Amino acid sequence: MSASQSSDDLTLLVKIFGKDRPGITAGLFDTLAAYSVDVVDIEQVVTRGRMVLCALVTQPPAGLEGDLRATVHSWAESMKMQAEIISGRGDNRPRGLGRSLVTVLGHPLTAEATAQIAARITKAGGNIDRIFRLAKYPVTAVEFAVSGVETEPLRTALVTDAAALGVDVAVVSAGLHRRAQRLVVMDVDSTLIQDEVIELFAAHAGCEDKVAEVTAAAMRGELDFEQSLHARVALLAGLDASVVDKVRSEVRLTPGARTLIRTLKRLGYQVGVVSGGFTQVTDDLKDRLGLDFAQANTLEIVDGQLTGQVTGEIVDRAGKARLLRRFAAEAGVPLSQTVAIGDGANDLDMLNAAGLGVAFNAKPVVREAAHTAVNVPFLDTVLYLLGVTREEVEAADAHEEG
């Protein structure tokens, strides 16, 4: 509400609805201008070619309201539109304390799931102020602006049951900081790429079954990550170093990976990867995709052969979180404005340390611990969690091609 507008002042809500066409908005306000009214609020929505335009304006000078109503209805009829004018007092009621943005991803987004999400928002004490579609492809993504409840309890109320509803839900605080998230760090295996790099190497060494046995033992808790890493790498001893180029050529990017990184870079984000895999692959990905940061374990190569050992600092679960902090410091980005994406238990520390932790097609234990989850096979859907629309992505692509 403007400083000059009192909550007791009389106002008129003018609603115009019908088939959208150029000139409707200009025509309405040109009509209203003849009555010396001030604009208090405007809202316009167009869905499948049908427009709803709402204008909240001050009351016209004494004796002119009837004429204003008649003129607006006559103008609307001439435009083959309908008009409704409602008298009242003041502006919209103040939004409640606590403002959040709830992003819902569905593939498809059903009416039932939408009803359940809306009901949970209400039950948590929130009010839906606005709903906006972010994307219709490759998933349907909509954003709810919610007030009246703090972000954390709202997240708890919505995210827990999201999987049962067949949707993915992200809840973040509203405000400028959302667009200021300037560092995204991803896991590599089964996140940025569709493969497990150790398995690609093992296929060339003919020891896939033995590597799988070690992996299974680690998943049962019989080995920690560092023990399983050393045990699996030891099976690669004697492999010719030329296999590195073959493995690099076999790596398959996750659908949407290039779009995600390209769009983030255009938006001014810095992007990095951390991996329990190997620098022989992540360094290549860094060069190919234009990443700002990359860190992984390094396979030792001596006299043109893999020795079966790794060198340097081990990148494990704790190491990934440590590297996220290091990258953030180097990028000059507060940790609260970082985004981490991963799929496995060894990503959990990193996901929890980031301002927004996204579990990507992850196991249940990871989904439950992360801030939000994405369960569709398109990595670029993460953009919608950051408030980027599909139209913005496509417009940026078209601009670059032009």
Side-chain angles (χ1 to χ4, degrees), residues 36 45 51 68 119 133 146 165 174 191 197 248 260 302 331 352-353 390 400:
S36 301
V45 176
M51 166 195 275
L68 179 150
R133 188 180 73 182
V146 177
L165 296 174
T191 300
V197 170
R248 287 174 174 171
L260 172 66
V302 176
N352 289 328
R390 189 72 198 178
E400 181 173 89

Side-chain angles (χ1 to χ4, degrees), residues 163-279:
L165 296 174
V167 296
D168 298 324
V169 179
V171 183
V172 299
S173 297
L176 293 176
H177 69 279
R178 188 198 198 196
R179 285 283 191 172
Q181 290 172 320
R182 293 299 183 191
L183 174 66
V184 175
V185 176
M186 289 176 275
D187 173 44
V188 175
D189 292 12
S190 298
T191 300
L192 178 63
I193 67 174
Q194 301 177 59
D195 312 281
E196 295 289 328
V197 170
I198 185 67
E199 294 177 2
L200 296 179
F201 277 101
H204 289 282
C207 60
E208 297 158 279
D209 292 342
K210 292 181 179 179
V211 165
E213 289 175 9
V214 176
T215 301
M219 293 182 67
R220 291 193 300 267
E222 297 169 10
L223 299 171
D224 63 23
F225 176 81
E226 186 169 351
Q227 291 172 322
S228 69
L229 174 67
H230 287 302
R232 287 178 291 183
V233 171
L235 296 169
L236 306 180
L239 197 60
D240 192 275
S242 63
V243 80
V244 168
D245 288 333
K246 296 177 183 177
V247 167
R248 287 174 174 171
S249 68
E250 292 166 351
V251 165
R252 300 168 299 162
L253 292 173
T254 298
R258 288 187 183 277
T259 300
L260 172 66
I261 294 169
R262 182 174 63 243
T263 305
L264 290 172
K265 297 293 290 181
R266 289 175 184 158
L267 290 172
Y269 282 58
Q270 296 189 58
V271 185
V273 294
V274 291
S275 176
F278 310 111
T279 56

Side-chain angles (χ1 to χ4, degrees), residues 60-90:
L64 293 182
E65 182 178 333
D67 190 45
L68 179 150
R69 287 174 176 268
T71 302
V72 169
H73 279 286
S74 177
W75 168 82
E77 186 176 346
S78 73
M79 300 298 293
K80 295 183 172 55
M81 306 286 283
Q82 297 182 62
E84 182 180 2
I85 303 175
I86 304 170
S87 298
R89 290 186 179 275

